[in-house]
Amino acid sequence: MPRRRSLILAGSALLASAPLPAQAPQQQAQTAMVVLEKAREAKAVGDHAGALEFYNQAAALLADDPDGQDGLGLVVRADLQRDIARESHAAGKGDPCAVLARGRAYLDQARQAPSAEGDVNVGPIADDMERQLESEGRRMRCVRSGPPTDMGKPDAVLAGHYHLSGVMETGSELLLKADGRFEWYISYGAVDQLAKGRWGRAGQTVTLAADIPPADAPLLRADEAFPWDEMAERRLRDAERERAAEAIAGRCPWIIGVAASPSLILAEDRPAPGPAERARAEQTRRAAETARDEASRAALKGAAASASEADRTAAEAAMVAWYEAQYEMEQAYRAATMPVPDIGAPVVPAECQAAPVDAAVDAPIPPSQWRRGVGVVVGDPSREMRLSRVGVTFVFSDGHRETAETSRGGWAFVSPRSGAAVQQLVLAWPDGSGRSASLPIKPLAEGVQTVAVDTQQLVAPPFEVMRLHVQGSDLIPENMGRGRYSRN
């Protein structure tokens, strides 16, 4: 892998207050990778000032690296400016908007500079990176035009519910409210987007101005804290079962459920089954029993802690062979108009078996049986949304750190520590951006802390301003081809 591509995949930084000595280009690239790794480590624990220092060191190293001067290298440097802007914004140090402008300047240079690898077309990569920088600029309020001054006032004649037509494979709705608010939604392919804000009419033009959080709006805040109760206990146990199921699926991917095969439909003029069909059925039964036993042996070996990759591959192949043999047996017995024998299934190793679920799972759990802990619920109350796959690092008063991940219901848990309380939370977003945020909380030795997230800041709005032309009772959006919004 070329050195600069390795840098794209690398991470964070080296603490050094003194200037770094001159180094050969290869040494500079290697040092930059170390520095980037340390920056990521600092960011993961909420040390944004430290991460910023490391990212700046890496940028200085790449500026002196010959690989940072060609088209692809300049894109890498622009990407690094995005990281610097994020940490500058989070730490409240420097001017993140100026940093993003520097990143865009690198992209302009990248489009003019050839790539050292002639097979790489830098243009599309630079365009994608520029969109990401623009998204960061909107999130940091670097460019905020505000509502247009010429958007006019709401017109009660136009208030109503509109549906988009004329755009293939796209669904969109627009609700114009008489009070001057609007709601907009669009779906195309696997992409769903929505926006809310204010609208007005000036002449034959309707303007939609999307809501944008104020520049000083916090991304997240500590909301209410609650004592441990039966609901928290149930969520804790649900999370434990979910983690156990995921662990089993990773350890024993071949242990999957199989639906019964459908009954064989025989032609009406088919001759009555005879000795040959019955013999065939018995033959498939013996083959299925052999496949069942082989699958049991292979699964036991593949699930062992000492299993090799070859053992796991063999277990998966043996299980597939069992399913196929079972299917052939069922079909053969039905063709022979004989009852399908119950020969059992492969033995599932203990390592692949989930713990039995308490039959009285809905019965009250007395406090004497509570396992207790410290829980966090992450969500956006304004959208009635819970956030899953958010990494949560619980920082205890004794310095201990423990990381968990929110479930589909937005919950994450850690066990309590004697004599210590959770006093800080570090949240990492699951969108691949590497974005994280640190949140001090009131010390919590046991109970549940809710965290409110302004999700509008996590995703750039689909638009800030949209204009539509009034045509009869329809609204014709700009830049949407033949599309038109019509009322019901």
Side-chain angles (χ1 to χ4, degrees):
M1 178 181 291
R3 187 161 62 244
R4 58 182 166 276
R5 290 186 180 173
S6 299
L7 291 174
I8 295 176
L9 303 176
S12 279
L14 231 168
L15 181 58
S17 55
L20 293 167
Q23 303 175 68
Q26 184 173 4
Q27 292 176 314
Q28 289 172 335
Q30 292 173 344
T31 303
M33 292 173 66
V34 175
V35 173
L36 286 169
E37 183 56 41
K38 289 191 176 294
R40 288 184 179 174
E41 292 171 358
K43 183 169 62 175
V45 298
D47 181 9
H48 299 291
L52 176 61
E53 181 179 350
F54 298 146
Y55 278 131
N56 279 321
Q57 288 184 23
L61 287 166
L62 293 181
D64 293 332
D65 185 349
D67 274 346
Q69 315 309 317
D70 75 349
L72 192 56
L74 287 163
V75 173
V76 173
R77 292 170 65 185
D79 189 20
L80 185 53
Q81 294 303 308
R82 180 180 58 167
D83 288 325
I84 292 172
R86 285 174 176 167
E87 298 312 301
S88 174
H89 184 262
K93 299 179 64 176
D95 182 358
C97 298
V99 176
L100 292 175
R102 189 180 307 124
R104 288 192 291 272
Y106 286 149
L107 294 178
D108 290 340
Q109 296 177 44
R111 294 184 179 96
Q112 304 300 321
S115 171
E117 301 170 17
D119 60 334
V120 177
N121 183 0
V122 175
I125 304 174
D127 292 344
D128 180 66
M129 179 55 59
E130 184 158 22
R131 285 191 290 270
Q132 296 183 47
L133 293 179
E134 289 175 354
S135 175
E136 288 296 334
R138 286 193 296 271
R139 184 177 72 85
M140 298 173 188
R141 311 298 174 259
C142 295
V143 178
R144 187 184 180 193
S145 58
T149 57
D150 61 345
M151 65 183 295
K153 297 180 180 180
D155 184 350
V157 173
L158 296 179
H161 193 179
Y162 295 77
H163 290 264
L164 179 69
S165 62
V167 182
M168 293 183 60
E169 300 181 357
T170 299
S172 180
E173 298 180 31
L174 171 62
L175 177 61
L176 297 182
K177 300 179 181 180
D179 64 359
R181 299 289 299 171
F182 80 84
E183 296 181 12
W184 176 89
Y185 168 81
I186 193 169
S187 176
Y188 55 94
V191 178
D192 294 332
Q193 294 180 318
L194 54 87
K196 297 181 180 180
R198 298 193 298 112
W199 72 279
R201 175 179 182 174
Q204 294 300 102
T205 300
V206 171
T207 301
L208 310 181
D211 288 338
I212 299 177
D216 57 352
L219 174 62
L220 55 84
R221 59 182 171 82
D223 209 344
E224 296 181 82
F226 300 95
W228 194 263
D229 58 11
E230 186 176 350
M231 183 181 69
E233 183 68 24
R234 289 189 182 279
R235 295 295 182 271
L236 171 63
R237 298 186 183 201
D238 290 344
E240 290 174 345
R241 283 192 291 269
E242 186 176 319
R243 287 196 301 272
E246 290 177 351
I248 289 174
R251 187 166 54 246
C252 313
W254 55 85
I255 305 297
I256 58 176
V258 177
S261 57
S263 299
L264 187 66
I265 300 177
L266 303 177
E268 293 183 359
D269 59 351
R270 179 185 174 91
E277 286 75 16
R278 289 190 288 273
R280 166 66 179 160
E282 289 300 314
Q283 180 184 8
T284 59
R285 178 183 60 79
R286 290 191 294 272
E289 290 173 339
T290 299
R292 175 201 62 198
D293 296 341
E294 177 56 32
S296 296
R297 288 190 292 270
L300 182 63
K301 187 175 181 180
S306 59
S308 64
E309 189 60 35
D311 293 332
R312 288 186 282 271
T313 300
E316 183 174 359
M319 196 63 68
V320 170
W322 146 249
Y323 291 139
E324 293 175 348
Q326 181 192 40
Y327 176 82
E328 292 295 331
M329 180 191 73
E330 292 176 350
Q331 297 303 302
Y333 269 83
R334 287 168 180 156
T337 65
M338 298 168 62
V340 178
D342 181 5
I343 64 171
V347 176
V348 178
E351 295 86 348
C352 301
Q353 297 181 29
V357 178
D358 187 350
V361 67
D362 294 327
I365 305 174
S368 60
Q369 296 180 16
W370 291 355
R371 298 171 190 169
R372 304 180 183 272
V374 180
V376 166
V377 185
V378 182
D380 186 340
S382 66
R383 297 186 177 183
E384 298 182 353
M385 179 189 299
R386 297 286 180 85
L387 303 183
S388 62
R389 301 295 182 186
V390 175
V392 182
T393 299
F394 297 78
V395 182
F396 286 82
S397 54
D398 62 357
H400 177 74
R401 294 173 177 266
E402 195 167 335
T403 299
E405 190 176 82
T406 58
S407 64
R408 285 189 292 271
W411 291 78
F413 297 93
V414 291
S415 300
R417 290 177 63 79
S418 178
V422 175
Q423 61 183 15
Q424 182 184 15
L425 301 169
V426 180
L427 282 73
W429 312 118
D431 57 3
S433 66
R435 187 184 301 150
S436 64
S438 179
L439 182 67
I441 64 172
K442 292 182 179 179
L444 188 64
E446 178 185 291
V448 178
Q449 175 68 59
T450 59
V451 175
V453 182
D454 183 1
T455 56
Q456 194 172 355
Q457 297 187 46
L458 295 176
V459 180
F463 63 84
E464 292 187 17
V465 175
M466 177 189 290
R467 289 186 169 86
L468 308 97
H469 300 293
V470 180
Q471 189 175 92
S473 59
D474 294 345
L475 301 177
I476 312 301
E478 293 181 343
N479 305 321
M480 205 178 284
R482 294 171 174 253
R484 66 173 53 227
Y485 285 93
S486 304
R487 272 184 284 202
N488 291 340

